[in-house]
Amino acid sequence: MRSSRGSHPRRPGPERVVTTAGERVGTHAGIGGYTVGQRRALPAGDGPRYVTRIDPATNTIVIGRADELGCDGLVADELNLIRPERFAAGATPVLAMTRYRAQPVRATAVVAQDAGLRLDFDEPHAAVTPGQLVALLDLDGIEVLAGATIRESR
């Protein structure tokens, strides 16, 4: 099925916008027009609202308050270990960047058996977006150690 806007395919079914509590507050024109952390083009509420999660399986945009954007970690795949020896001992302290021009934040990285990556942030981190890249740097923030594609936030 094609959208009326051109060649982008649309998922059939409801295009719901819900709050983190599950309350339906509107509809959307396709999940491709949204990213986690976005504020614009969202239904009005009792204060600023942000996209907190995008669920492609149900074609749903979940919105919430700024304090609901934070997560404790992420799972990533398509891992590219530039310095694999730095991860050989197991849990490795790193600086992680989840957005372009973002300040790197302290985290602990573990390379999984399936060649994926588990990253635990030292403090909750906002707007971790599946499909975007995470870059792992040494603790001095000078050397890139690895990169991966974010699969989910936790």
Side-chain angles (χ1 to χ4, degrees):
M1 180 183 289
R2 301 270 179 201
S3 73
S4 60
R5 291 189 294 165
S7 62
H8 298 289
R10 292 180 64 184
R11 294 183 65 75
E15 296 174 332
R16 300 177 311 137
V17 177
V18 300
T19 66
T20 53
E23 175 189 358
R24 185 177 177 155
V25 292
T27 61
H28 63 84
I31 61 174
Y34 296 86
T35 188
V36 173
Q38 174 178 325
R39 281 187 59 189
R40 83 177 155 73
L42 299 178
D46 56 346
R49 291 188 179 186
Y50 300 83
V51 174
T52 60
R53 189 167 55 88
I54 299 170
D55 186 349
T58 62
N59 205 25
T60 302
I61 303 293
V62 181
I63 63 174
R65 299 177 317 272
D67 64 335
E68 295 174 298
L69 279 171
C71 68
D72 295 323
L74 63 83
V75 176
D77 52 20
E78 300 177 4
L79 178 61
N80 180 9
L81 293 174
I82 298 165
R83 295 290 304 272
E85 70 279 5
R86 301 290 283 275
F87 299 90
T92 305
V94 296
L95 292 177
M97 288 181 63
T98 58
R99 293 210 177 247
Y100 177 67
R101 293 189 182 184
Q103 285 294 107
V105 296
R106 290 186 63 93
T108 302
V110 176
V111 176
Q113 294 286 339
D114 63 359
L117 175 76
R118 178 185 166 111
L119 192 66
D120 295 310
F121 299 113
D122 287 6
E123 296 181 13
H125 187 59
V128 173
T129 306
Q132 292 193 7
L133 299 180
V134 58
L136 304 182
L137 310 169
D138 67 2
L139 292 177
D140 295 324
I142 296 171
E143 184 177 15
V144 177
L145 305 177
T149 303
I150 300 169
R151 184 173 55 216
E152 64 184 66
S153 62
R154 312 179 282 94

